Amino acid sequence: MSFFNTSPTTATKTLRVLAHLLSYPDAELRAHLPELKAALYDERALSGARLAELDALITRLSRRRPLDVEADHVELFDRGRGTALHLFEHVHGDSRDRGPAMVDLCQTYEAAGLFLAPGELPDHLTVVLQYASTQPPAQAKAFLGEIAHILQVIFSALLRREAAHACVLAALLDLAGEKAQAVAVPPEPELDESWAEPMAFDGCSTQGQARPGQPQPIQIVRAPVRTASHVMPGAST
């Protein structure tokens, strides 16, 4: 996504660095990790303690095997709803409201002169942060404040998984003027369970047709036409 910043803000660099730290850590991104670190310390929009946490994350990303770093990112952000970076996943799920919300967000970007690249979705947190980085300080803080409740959920899910990236969400909450704190998040089903096909007729034991004390549904189907070859020996016709 191409953004142009005409009026630098106090958190412009920081927001863009945080967006990059949530992006897929391919070779190009890893090559720029030293520059990302330098930008954080140059702007100093965050506390020293938070900068130290982000510094540790950057060091971790730079020192681990590239394949491990990339696999961890996919496992963390693409294989669970609690840590999903698509914000509307946490608000609308798969409901029909998600489409209109996407359109509204695109219109917000376009009104600011920003346009999505092919394949980008407007509610992905990395895109949202790029947009926020172009806004004046007060507007950027207010914008982050509007999504703070979603950031808290993602932060809490990352904490539960003991993920180093939790510090990125904590930094965003700092910039929104909110305290990063764990909130209750529902447990996520195992991957196999979430992708499992539902059982036909809701099962046939204590579920579905076999519930005791309730009328038992009967499925009536048209029987095939019987011919001589279908008549059992000894049966009357």
Side-chain angles (χ1 to χ4, degrees):
M1 189 172 187
S2 298
F3 290 95
F4 301 93
N5 180 30
T6 57
S7 57
T9 66
T10 57
T12 295
K13 294 179 181 179
T14 300
L15 286 169
R16 293 179 181 180
V17 169
L18 297 178
H20 284 304
L21 290 178
L22 292 174
S23 301
Y24 183 75
D26 56 16
E28 182 179 3
L29 176 62
R30 294 194 305 273
H32 290 287
L33 287 174
E35 298 171 38
L36 299 181
K37 176 180 175 179
L40 285 175
Y41 280 92
D42 178 62
E43 191 167 59
R44 291 193 173 273
L46 299 166
S47 68
R50 196 68 74 201
L51 287 173
E53 292 175 353
L54 294 169
D55 192 341
L57 173 62
I58 292 173
T59 300
R60 175 186 175 87
L61 294 175
S62 61
R63 291 183 178 178
R64 298 189 67 219
R65 292 177 60 235
L67 288 179
D68 291 339
V69 170
E70 294 172 7
D72 286 350
H73 187 277
V74 172
E75 179 68 27
L76 187 60
F77 294 117
D78 296 341
R79 295 171 65 88
R81 288 193 171 184
T83 55
L85 295 180
H86 291 282
L87 302 187
F88 292 156
E89 177 72 27
H90 303 275
V91 179
H92 302 299
D94 296 326
S95 75
R96 294 181 179 181
D97 294 333
R98 191 169 186 171
M102 291 277 201
V103 173
D104 290 344
L105 195 51
C106 283
Q107 291 174 346
T108 298
Y109 297 158
E110 292 173 6
L114 312 174
F115 298 89
L116 291 169
E120 287 186 315
L121 293 177
D123 69 327
H124 197 275
L125 185 52
T126 57
V127 176
V128 171
L129 296 182
Q130 291 278 13
Y131 164 74
S133 74
T134 68
Q135 303 304 296
Q139 285 88 331
K141 182 178 180 180
F143 182 77
L144 292 175
E146 291 177 4
I147 62 172
H149 61 295
I150 308 175
L151 300 179
Q152 289 282 19
V153 170
I154 303 174
F155 169 71
S156 301
L158 289 171
L159 276 185
R160 186 172 63 186
R161 296 183 63 168
E162 299 181 350
H165 283 80
C167 66
V168 180
L169 276 296
L172 290 173
L173 288 164
D174 289 347
L175 294 175
E178 301 285 343
K179 180 180 179 181
Q181 53 188 355
V183 298
V185 292
E188 293 188 36
E190 295 293 332
L191 186 63
D192 291 341
E193 179 182 345
S194 64
W195 283 91
E197 291 287 341
M199 296 180 65
F201 305 113
D202 198 22
C204 294
S205 57
T206 59
Q207 299 181 15
Q209 297 186 24
R211 291 188 179 93
Q214 297 183 10
Q216 301 300 299
I218 300 175
Q219 184 180 22
I220 301 176
V221 298
R222 184 182 297 276
V225 177
R226 299 178 68 184
T227 63
S229 61
H230 292 145
V231 180
M232 294 180 62
S236 59
T237 59

